[in-house]
Amino acid sequence: MVWVSKIDCCGVEMCLARIFIMGKPLSLRNLGVLWMDRTLKFCVLLTLVALANASFTKNDFGRCERAVRNWASSLLDKEIREDKHTLRDLLFFLHVPRTGGRTYFHCFLKKLYPSSLECPRSYDKLRFDPSKPNCRVLVTHDDFSITSKLPRERTSVVTILRDPISRVFSTYEFSIEVAARFLVHPNLTSTTLIAGRMRSKTKGVSTLNIWPWKYLVPWMRKDLFDRRDLRQSRGLPTTKSNDSYDLEEFAMPLHEFINHPVAEDIVHNGATFQVAGLTNNSYVAESHEVRHCVQKYKILGKYVLQVAKKRLDDMLYVGLTEEHKESASMFANVVGAQVISQLRAPKTSMIGVDNAGHSSLSNPEPDNYEHQNSSLDSGASETSPNEATESKMTVGDLMEAYEDCISSLRKTQTQRRTFSLKRISPVNFSTEARLQVSDAVLQQIRLLNDLDLELYEYARELFSNQHKSILQKYTEERWENMSSMANWKLLPSVITSVFLLLFFLAVNVRRRVLKPKI
């Protein structure tokens, strides 16, 4: 069915009504006659244009639907792994931005894996280095499509998801926080030149080189400079407000941010697109067409959700930012325990990255970057140095090291945020400040992140089931250990009881034998 929307008082609907009132059916001949009626000329043109547009839209939707369905079908047809909870040779941490993945990298993975086993990368585009064939752990913001460049059958994937509304807030806040650090410079031109020189002199990876911040931070940086220049040109006192998310004199208001095309392309439903491999940073060419089709026709999002849910099903571990303690404990028991076990085993190299034809990406370059903890803007450099897994490390030791590490990391991050936001005071992002945001803005965020909301609920179910499974396994193992210990403790008394019983029986038998017969 073709739908034609109302245009105005001389729109398509009014035009068609007038044509039929005159008793003339809509045909090419009658349209020619009606063309002479000046009052209908424009209406007929509107009708023809609207019908043509409707036909084009229908054909375009059909093309998009076929593209998305074919893409989804090719991925859903693949069988689910039987041993998905077994750690394979390569661990890929799919880091969805603003979910706490940096904490897991520094406080878990760098405690487990020595630097010699980290895959060379720039954190934005992976580059295999033939001189390091033994890479065993990869942590990046790349989407799932990067697995097309990895030894797929020897790769385990883990990720963390966050409540979509909180993730949008955090993305907005972090974009402004990082951009505000550049306000020490007099103007945007000076900032761009100095930032470029710093990146060329250091081996570290700047936040400005990492997806999605390489898009979001420059955009927000320019906006902050424009607003600062406007304030200075006016020379007027600033307006005071209790809503840090709507201080337009200092920073882009949240409601403006969420409705901007940049946020539409990168932020909204970002977790679903990343897990599905459909970001604008995707490695697979067809992914870009599929993403644009889904963004254009929201009804096609159901196919993307199917793929994203299946990929969560196949993952070794799926954590939740909101369930911090339980997620950390599960990661240590599911992933950490297996890494410790693997590294204790006889050393084996990851088979044939080169032999499998995955030694490089489409644009191979030497890896000129160090690990992401040297990022210029991430604050990761203040964390403790790399720690290799010791042969005697246990899951308990790992959790203890994690707690110490996360406390230090959070303190550093808080200090950096406070220092950055001072440059755009009175802006002050906090949990309390979020309560000032209107219900209308919150509802808009929900509508724009409908896929992420559904995927997050699905992840919560997976998390709950895996958490119960781990608790049950832990309880059974503990009961077996206690039973075993109890049996060993009771063994002397059992032996004594058996000995006394045998002795008693032997004495009774002897008495019966020696008893005189009457």
Side-chain angles (χ1 to χ4, degrees), residues 26 32 53 60 140 149 173 183 204 211 259 264 311 344 346 365-366 391 427 498:
L26 189 60
N53 287 337
D60 184 60
T140 81
K149 307 297 181 181
E173 294 164 3
L183 291 175
W211 184 92
N259 289 299
E264 176 68 26
R311 284 181 168 165
R344 281 179 182 173
E365 299 177 19
S391 59
V427 174
V498 171

Side-chain angles (χ1 to χ4, degrees), residues 410-421:
R410 284 177 173 173
K411 182 178 179 181
T412 301
Q413 291 171 344
T414 300
Q415 291 174 345
R416 180 170 284 246
R417 164 176 275 205
T418 302
F419 180 77
S420 297
L421 294 183

Side-chain angles (χ1 to χ4, degrees), residues 25 67 92 99 118 142 145-146 200 245 254 258 282 309 313 321-322 343-344 354 359 428 439 477 501-502 515:
F92 168 41
T99 58
E118 290 183 44
D142 291 294
S145 67
I146 198 176
S200 64
Y245 296 90
L254 177 61
I258 63 174
S282 178
K309 288 179 179 180
D313 284 334
T321 305
E322 285 72 23
L343 297 184
R344 281 179 182 173
D354 295 329
S359 60
N428 181 29
D439 291 337
E477 290 178 351
L501 178 61
L502 292 174
K515 185 177 181 179

Side-chain angles (χ1 to χ4, degrees), residues 45-63:
L45 282 175
L46 286 177
T47 303
L48 295 175
V49 170
L51 292 174
N53 287 337
S55 177
F56 174 79
T57 301
K58 182 178 181 180
N59 292 336
D60 184 60
F61 175 79
R63 177 190 61 80

Side-chain angles (χ1 to χ4, degrees), residues 302-370:
K302 60 184 179 182
Y303 298 108
V304 179
L305 267 176
Q306 291 176 2
V307 173
K309 288 179 179 180
K310 179 181 181 298
R311 284 181 168 165
L312 291 186
D313 284 334
D314 289 344
M315 289 186 185
L316 173 65
Y317 163 91
V318 177
L320 301 175
T321 305
E322 285 72 23
E323 303 290 343
H324 167 68
K325 291 184 178 180
E326 291 78 4
S327 288
S329 177
M330 186 186 298
F331 188 90
N333 283 279
V334 173
V335 182
Q338 294 190 65
V339 173
I340 293 171
S341 178
Q342 273 191 2
L343 297 184
R344 281 179 182 173
K347 292 183 179 179
T348 57
S349 62
M350 204 179 85
I351 332 173
V353 170
D354 295 329
N355 295 337
H358 298 294
S359 60
S360 64
L361 299 186
S362 55
N363 296 309
E365 299 177 19
D367 184 38
N368 295 321
Y369 300 92
E370 291 182 346

Side-chain angles (χ1 to χ4, degrees), residues 52-117:
N53 287 337
S55 177
F56 174 79
T57 301
K58 182 178 181 180
N59 292 336
D60 184 60
F61 175 79
R63 177 190 61 80
C64 272
E65 185 178 30
R66 287 190 297 273
V68 176
R69 288 181 65 178
N70 290 339
W71 167 82
S73 297
S74 66
L75 299 173
L76 294 172
D77 289 343
K78 296 179 180 178
E79 295 182 1
I80 295 179
R81 293 177 174 178
E82 294 292 335
D83 58 344
K84 60 185 178 182
H85 295 307
T86 300
L87 176 65
R88 294 171 176 257
D89 296 319
L90 173 62
L91 178 65
F92 168 41
F93 195 114
L94 190 156
H95 182 186
V96 177
R98 310 312 297 164
T99 58
R102 188 197 308 167
T103 302
Y104 274 57
F105 172 72
H106 290 288
C107 300
F108 268 139
L109 296 177
K110 290 193 70 76
K111 308 290 182 185
L112 288 166
Y113 289 96
S115 59
S116 60
L117 295 183

